[in-house]
Amino acid sequence: MDEHQDGWLRARWRRPARAALGAATTVTGIVVLAIGLTAGPAAAGARPAESDAANAPSAVAAEASVSLAAGSAHTCAIRTDGALLCWGSNFSGQLGDGTTTNRTTPGPVGTATTWAGIDAGTSYTCGVRTDGTLWCWGYNRRSQLGDGTTTNRTAPVQVGTATTWARISAGDSHACGIRVDGTLWCWGYNRNGQLGVGTSVTTARTPVQVGTATTWANVTTGFAHTCATRTDGTLWCWGDSSNGQLGLGILSYRTTPSQVGTLTSWAGVTAGYAHTCATRTNGTLWCWGENGYGQVGVTGGVQTSPVQVGSTTTWTRVNSSQDSSCALRTDGSLWCWGNNTAGQLGDGTTTHRYAPTRAGTATTWNTGFVVSHHTCGLRTDGSLWCWGNNTAGQLGDGTTTQRSAPAQVTL
């Protein structure tokens, strides 16, 4: 991937946001879906609270949305009417509007009103419609769009003919999806075994099934690794583990799914660039992998096995990307840690954090939040908030100004 296309200074990719979420949630009468492993939030037009003044996360207040995704420098949201809007960087057509022109405010992706779930890769996007079809668009050099080509697409193209897609996770150069029958499928680049199908395939231009299991529940894709949970509560990872991101105690690779420990209490998992975080059913939070910015949530270097983040037992959801992570507690507070170069942790600073640091003082965050070089989250009043990097307009506020404070935008 050519990082310059998203206007970011780092020379290597940092993972867009997505996390596992187990069931649908209702927030202020608005449905929050768990399709595509991006929270399905709803924005309803509330103004920023007085306490979140000047340099705090920007607010996107709008009509209700049911799904939210953040790529390296673009953002997408589905409204409750099924319409899809995207904004930010569009160098490779990842906004899906038929152009390669950046947008600093939300713009429609075609005229379809049947979008159900969405996820954003580095410079591409994939979405599931209510009829179970899967569509992708944007950057396609490694066949991450799954359409059988390496051609960039500026508008959605259907992935095969299947009408049974339930969930989608888009990484840097590979993507994976789960079908309603519980089977898992991946496609794109496989240099590090991230597709989970062995090494005989370097690049899969169309979806290939991962093993024969029919009990996959959630999947998440990092830069070159993949993790997934099964319905029995077990956790499995594969691909690159040169930074310990598979949690298997190794610094090498696995080309097929390998179980992380023996526990059957994993609730959700999310993959960053080279780190991974997960929650357990007892409310504890665990992370592992690369830790140069504190993205594992503890001090020290690389962690090759899961380590508990603090002693709190009230974590409900975690989302990782790039070198940052955020997690929600049962009291509605949002906490972030790791890389904070662009203010994406939302704590009003650009200081990297090695332990969860609270984003503002609000206690009304819900499970709809996504993390990248910028972060977006929803509150229980239906308002959508974004902060962090804004070089391509990915905060949707009509500017390219980096923000760590609220600024309302109409979706």
Side-chain angles (χ1 to χ4, degrees):
M1 177 272 186
D2 297 322
E3 186 60 32
H4 73 273
Q5 63 190 325
D6 285 318
W8 193 245
L9 299 178
R10 295 293 300 272
R12 65 177 185 173
W13 175 88
R14 288 290 184 237
R15 161 80 166 77
R18 80 263 313 134
L21 185 59
T25 307
T26 300
V27 181
T28 321
I30 301 169
V31 176
V32 177
L33 299 180
I35 291 181
L37 308 191
T38 52
R47 289 239 170 227
E50 289 294 330
S51 60
D52 288 315
N55 289 311
S58 79
V60 180
E63 294 183 46
S65 64
V66 297
S67 192
L68 177 68
S72 181
H74 74 289
T75 312
C76 294
I78 302 173
R79 299 189 313 212
T80 51
D81 63 2
L84 173 62
L85 297 96
C86 295
W87 58 98
S89 175
N90 199 26
F91 185 91
S92 300
Q94 58 264 47
L95 300 189
D97 62 359
T99 77
T100 55
T101 303
N102 291 0
R103 288 184 177 273
T104 60
T105 57
V109 179
T111 59
T113 57
T114 55
W115 295 101
I118 191 76
D119 198 22
T122 301
S123 300
Y124 70 105
T125 312
C126 291
V128 177
R129 291 187 180 173
T130 54
D131 62 2
T133 57
L134 175 62
W135 302 73
C136 295
W137 56 97
Y139 194 65
N140 197 29
R141 181 180 179 184
R142 300 293 188 184
S143 295
Q144 52 265 63
L145 301 189
D147 67 348
T149 76
T150 55
T151 303
N152 290 358
R153 306 289 187 176
T154 60
V157 292
Q158 188 172 351
V159 180
T161 59
T163 58
T164 55
W165 294 103
R167 301 173 184 270
I168 177 66
S169 179
D172 174 61
S173 299
H174 77 293
C176 295
I178 296 174
R179 294 186 181 174
V180 294
D181 61 1
T183 57
L184 175 62
W185 302 72
C186 295
W187 58 95
Y189 201 39
N190 193 41
R191 180 178 180 181
N192 297 296
Q194 57 262 52
L195 300 190
V197 296
T199 58
S200 61
V201 176
T202 301
T203 302
R205 293 192 173 188
T206 57
V208 292
Q209 187 172 352
V210 180
T212 59
T214 58
T215 56
W216 296 105
N218 289 297
V219 64
T220 178
T221 49
F223 174 72
H225 77 291
T226 308
C227 292
T229 57
R230 291 187 180 174
T231 54
D232 63 1
T234 57
L235 174 62
W236 303 72
C237 293
W238 57 96
D240 182 20
S241 195
S242 56
N243 287 285
Q245 57 264 51
L246 299 189
L248 303 173
I250 63 172
L251 292 172
S252 54
Y253 302 86
R254 288 288 185 271
T255 61
T256 57
S258 298
Q259 188 173 350
V260 180
T262 59
L263 293 176
T264 58
S265 58
W266 295 103
V269 62
T270 176
Y273 171 79
H275 78 289
T276 308
C277 291
T279 54
R280 291 183 181 170
T281 53
N282 63 1
T284 57
L285 173 64
W286 301 73
C287 295
W288 55 94
E290 183 183 11
N291 198 36
Y293 292 97
Q295 58 265 50
V296 173
V298 299
T299 57
V302 166
Q303 304 292 324
T304 62
S305 299
V307 293
Q308 187 173 354
V309 180
S311 58
T312 299
T313 59
T314 57
W315 299 106
T316 63
R317 182 178 181 265
V318 61
N319 191 295
S320 297
S321 76
Q322 318 296 342
D323 299 313
S324 307
S325 300
C326 292
L328 180 72
R329 291 185 181 175
T330 53
D331 64 359
S333 59
L334 183 65
W335 301 70
C336 300
W337 60 98
N339 190 343
N340 198 26
T341 301
Q344 60 264 51
L345 303 188
D347 65 353
T349 77
T350 55
T351 303
H352 308 317
R353 303 293 184 180
Y354 281 78
T357 301
R358 192 164 177 177
T361 59
T363 56
T364 53
W365 297 102
N366 66 45
T367 54
F369 62 94
V370 289
V371 185
S372 183
H373 295 303
H374 66 293
T375 303
C376 292
L378 286 122
R379 293 184 181 175
T380 53
D381 62 3
S383 58
L384 172 62
W385 305 68
C386 297
W387 58 96
N389 187 34
N390 196 28
T391 55
Q394 57 265 49
L395 300 188
D397 61 2
T399 77
T400 55
T401 302
Q402 181 172 302
R403 293 188 183 277
S404 53
Q408 191 166 352
V409 183
T410 300
L411 182 62

